[in-house]
Amino acid sequence: STLARNQALCLPPSSMDWHVRTLAATDYDRGFLELLGQLTVVGDVDREAFEKQYLDMEKEGNRRVVVVVDPQRDQVVATGTALIEKKFIRGCGCVAHVEDVVVDHKERGKQLGKRVIEDLLQYARKKGCYKVILDCAETNATFYEKCGFRKKEVQMVHYF
Protein backbone atom coordinates (compact mmCIF):
# COMPACT_ATOMS: atom_id res chain seq x y z
CA SER A 1 0.00 0.00 0.00
CA THR A 2 1.06 3.61 -0.45
CA LEU A 3 0.91 4.25 3.32
CA ALA A 4 3.15 1.27 4.10
CA ARG A 5 5.59 2.30 1.37
CA ASN A 6 5.71 5.88 2.70
CA GLN A 7 6.25 4.64 6.26
CA ALA A 8 9.08 2.39 5.06
CA LEU A 9 10.74 5.34 3.34
CA CYS A 10 10.93 7.15 6.69
CA LEU A 11 13.02 4.38 8.22
CA PRO A 12 16.80 4.34 8.03
CA PRO A 13 18.00 1.85 5.38
CA SER A 14 19.84 -0.19 8.00
CA SER A 15 16.61 -1.11 9.79
CA MET A 16 14.18 -1.43 6.87
CA ASP A 17 14.83 -5.12 6.29
CA TRP A 18 15.01 -6.17 9.93
CA HIS A 19 12.45 -8.81 10.82
CA VAL A 20 9.41 -7.78 12.89
CA ARG A 21 7.63 -10.90 14.11
CA THR A 22 6.16 -12.58 17.16
CA LEU A 23 8.40 -14.06 19.82
CA ALA A 24 9.64 -17.60 19.17
CA ALA A 25 10.86 -20.15 21.72
CA THR A 26 14.24 -20.02 19.98
CA ASP A 27 14.62 -16.33 20.85
CA TYR A 28 16.10 -17.47 24.14
CA ASP A 29 19.31 -17.93 22.11
CA ARG A 30 18.91 -14.57 20.34
CA GLY A 31 19.42 -12.44 23.44
CA PHE A 32 15.75 -11.82 24.27
CA LEU A 33 16.22 -11.98 28.05
CA GLU A 34 19.40 -9.91 27.92
CA LEU A 35 17.48 -7.26 25.99
CA LEU A 36 14.74 -7.23 28.65
CA GLY A 37 17.54 -6.81 31.19
CA GLN A 38 18.16 -3.36 29.70
CA LEU A 39 14.64 -2.46 30.87
CA THR A 40 14.25 -4.17 34.23
CA VAL A 41 15.36 -7.02 36.46
CA VAL A 42 14.87 -10.33 34.64
CA GLY A 43 16.13 -12.68 37.34
CA ASP A 44 17.44 -16.19 36.86
CA VAL A 45 15.54 -17.65 33.89
CA ASP A 46 17.05 -20.79 32.39
CA ARG A 47 16.01 -22.32 29.08
CA GLU A 48 13.52 -24.71 30.70
CA ALA A 49 11.77 -21.91 32.61
CA PHE A 50 11.74 -19.71 29.50
CA GLU A 51 10.22 -22.43 27.32
CA LYS A 52 7.56 -23.29 29.95
CA GLN A 53 6.58 -19.62 30.28
CA TYR A 54 6.55 -19.22 26.51
CA LEU A 55 4.21 -22.22 26.07
CA ASP A 56 1.92 -21.05 28.90
CA MET A 57 1.68 -17.61 27.31
CA GLU A 58 0.95 -19.12 23.90
CA LYS A 59 -1.91 -21.20 25.39
CA GLU A 60 -3.48 -18.13 26.99
CA GLY A 61 -3.77 -16.50 23.58
CA ASN A 62 -4.49 -13.03 24.94
CA ARG A 63 -1.17 -11.36 24.16
CA ARG A 64 1.29 -10.55 21.44
CA VAL A 65 5.00 -10.38 22.15
CA VAL A 66 6.66 -8.78 19.14
CA VAL A 67 10.38 -8.75 18.46
CA VAL A 68 12.65 -7.06 15.94
CA VAL A 69 15.56 -9.23 14.86
CA ASP A 70 18.74 -7.89 13.30
CA PRO A 71 19.27 -10.32 10.39
CA GLN A 72 23.03 -9.76 10.25
CA ARG A 73 23.60 -10.67 13.90
CA ASP A 74 20.50 -12.87 14.32
CA GLN A 75 19.79 -11.08 17.63
CA VAL A 76 16.62 -9.63 19.11
CA VAL A 77 17.17 -5.85 19.22
CA ALA A 78 13.68 -4.60 20.17
CA THR A 79 10.56 -5.99 21.80
CA GLY A 80 7.20 -5.09 23.25
CA THR A 81 4.11 -6.87 24.53
CA ALA A 82 0.38 -6.19 24.25
CA LEU A 83 -1.97 -7.93 26.70
CA ILE A 84 -5.69 -7.98 26.04
CA GLU A 85 -8.01 -7.44 29.03
CA LYS A 86 -11.69 -8.27 28.65
CA LYS A 87 -14.03 -5.81 30.36
CA PHE A 88 -17.68 -5.56 31.34
CA ILE A 89 -17.72 -1.86 30.50
CA ARG A 90 -18.02 -0.44 27.00
CA GLY A 91 -20.40 -3.21 26.00
CA CYS A 92 -18.06 -5.97 27.18
CA GLY A 93 -15.21 -4.36 25.30
CA CYS A 94 -11.51 -4.97 25.68
CA VAL A 95 -8.40 -2.94 26.40
CA ALA A 96 -4.82 -3.59 25.38
CA HIS A 97 -2.01 -2.99 27.87
CA VAL A 98 1.41 -2.35 26.33
CA GLU A 99 4.28 -3.61 28.47
CA ASP A 100 8.00 -4.34 28.34
CA VAL A 101 8.93 -2.13 25.38
CA VAL A 102 12.70 -1.90 24.96
CA VAL A 103 15.16 -1.25 22.15
CA ASP A 104 18.78 -2.34 22.49
CA HIS A 105 20.80 0.69 23.60
CA LYS A 106 23.14 0.24 20.62
CA GLU A 107 20.24 0.36 18.14
CA ARG A 108 18.23 3.33 19.41
CA GLY A 109 17.39 6.13 17.02
CA LYS A 110 16.54 3.76 14.15
CA GLN A 111 12.77 3.88 14.73
CA LEU A 112 12.67 0.26 15.89
CA GLY A 113 10.59 1.23 18.93
CA LYS A 114 8.11 2.92 16.63
CA ARG A 115 7.85 -0.27 14.57
CA VAL A 116 7.17 -2.28 17.74
CA ILE A 117 4.45 0.14 18.89
CA GLU A 118 2.83 0.26 15.45
CA ASP A 119 2.68 -3.54 15.37
CA LEU A 120 1.12 -3.69 18.85
CA LEU A 121 -1.42 -0.97 18.02
CA GLN A 122 -2.43 -2.86 14.88
CA TYR A 123 -2.84 -6.05 16.95
CA ALA A 124 -5.05 -4.21 19.49
CA ARG A 125 -7.16 -2.72 16.71
CA LYS A 126 -7.66 -6.16 15.12
CA LYS A 127 -8.69 -7.56 18.52
CA GLY A 128 -11.37 -4.86 18.78
CA CYS A 129 -9.87 -2.95 21.70
CA TYR A 130 -11.40 0.44 22.40
CA LYS A 131 -8.13 1.78 23.83
CA VAL A 132 -4.48 0.94 24.43
CA ILE A 133 -2.82 1.98 27.67
CA LEU A 134 0.74 1.88 28.96
CA ASP A 135 2.93 3.13 31.77
CA CYS A 136 6.31 4.62 30.99
CA ALA A 137 9.12 6.62 32.52
CA GLU A 138 8.67 10.37 32.25
CA THR A 139 11.76 10.44 30.04
CA ASN A 140 9.98 8.21 27.48
CA ALA A 141 6.70 10.15 27.36
CA THR A 142 7.70 12.20 24.31
CA PHE A 143 8.41 9.02 22.34
CA TYR A 144 4.95 7.62 23.09
CA GLU A 145 3.30 10.96 22.31
CA LYS A 146 4.94 10.76 18.86
CA CYS A 147 3.32 7.33 18.52
CA GLY A 148 -0.13 8.81 19.19
CA PHE A 149 -0.48 8.33 22.96
CA ARG A 150 -1.38 11.13 25.35
CA LYS A 151 -0.85 11.59 29.07
CA LYS A 152 -3.84 10.66 31.22
CA GLU A 153 -4.21 10.46 34.98
CA VAL A 154 -1.64 8.90 37.34
CA GLN A 155 0.12 5.54 37.56
CA MET A 156 0.06 3.71 40.89
CA VAL A 157 1.85 0.49 41.83
CA HIS A 158 1.87 -1.97 44.72
CA TYR A 159 4.76 -4.43 44.68
CA PHE A 160 4.80 -7.77 46.48
Side-chain angles (χ1 to χ4, degrees), residues 18-21 23 27 30-32 35-36 65-70 73 75-80 100-105 107 111-116:
W18 289 10
H19 307 296
V20 179
R21 60 166 172 76
L23 180 71
D27 288 331
R30 290 187 181 92
F32 177 72
L35 177 63
L36 286 177
V65 181
V66 65
V67 296
V68 179
V69 178
D70 176 347
R73 296 186 297 135
Q75 290 291 296
V76 175
V77 294
T79 187
D100 302 337
V101 176
V102 62
V103 175
D104 186 294
H105 63 86
E107 307 297 346
Q111 304 214 9
L112 300 177
K114 182 179 178 191
R115 291 176 71 179
V116 167

Side-chain angles (χ1 to χ4, degrees), residues 13-114:
S14 62
S15 64
M16 281 176 50
D17 54 348
W18 289 10
H19 307 296
V20 179
R21 60 166 172 76
T22 56
L23 180 71
T26 54
D27 288 331
Y28 180 87
D29 296 316
R30 290 187 181 92
F32 177 72
L33 295 176
E34 291 79 6
L35 177 63
L36 286 177
Q38 293 183 31
L39 177 68
T40 192
V41 176
V42 173
D44 185 25
V45 180
D46 63 14
R47 181 183 304 277
E48 183 179 343
F50 178 86
E51 289 176 355
K52 181 184 182 316
Q53 186 80 328
Y54 173 83
L55 291 173
D56 288 349
M57 291 166 75
E58 283 287 300
K59 284 182 204 168
E60 288 174 2
N62 65 338
R63 78 185 71 227
R64 178 173 175 84
V65 181
V66 65
V67 296
V68 179
V69 178
D70 176 347
Q72 292 181 339
R73 296 186 297 135
D74 195 29
Q75 290 291 296
V76 175
V77 294
T79 187
T81 300
L83 301 151
I84 306 298
E85 174 191 7
K86 293 184 181 233
K87 312 281 275 181
F88 287 106
I89 62 172
R90 302 275 179 133
C92 291
C94 60
V95 171
H97 297 263
V98 170
E99 294 280 341
D100 302 337
V101 176
V102 62
V103 175
D104 186 294
H105 63 86
K106 296 177 297 224
E107 307 297 346
R108 292 182 185 156
K110 298 179 180 177
Q111 304 214 9
L112 300 177
K114 182 179 178 191

Side-chain angles (χ1 to χ4, degrees), residues 3-15:
L3 177 60
R5 198 167 35 258
N6 288 343
Q7 286 175 336
L9 292 174
C10 294
L11 297 174
S14 62
S15 64

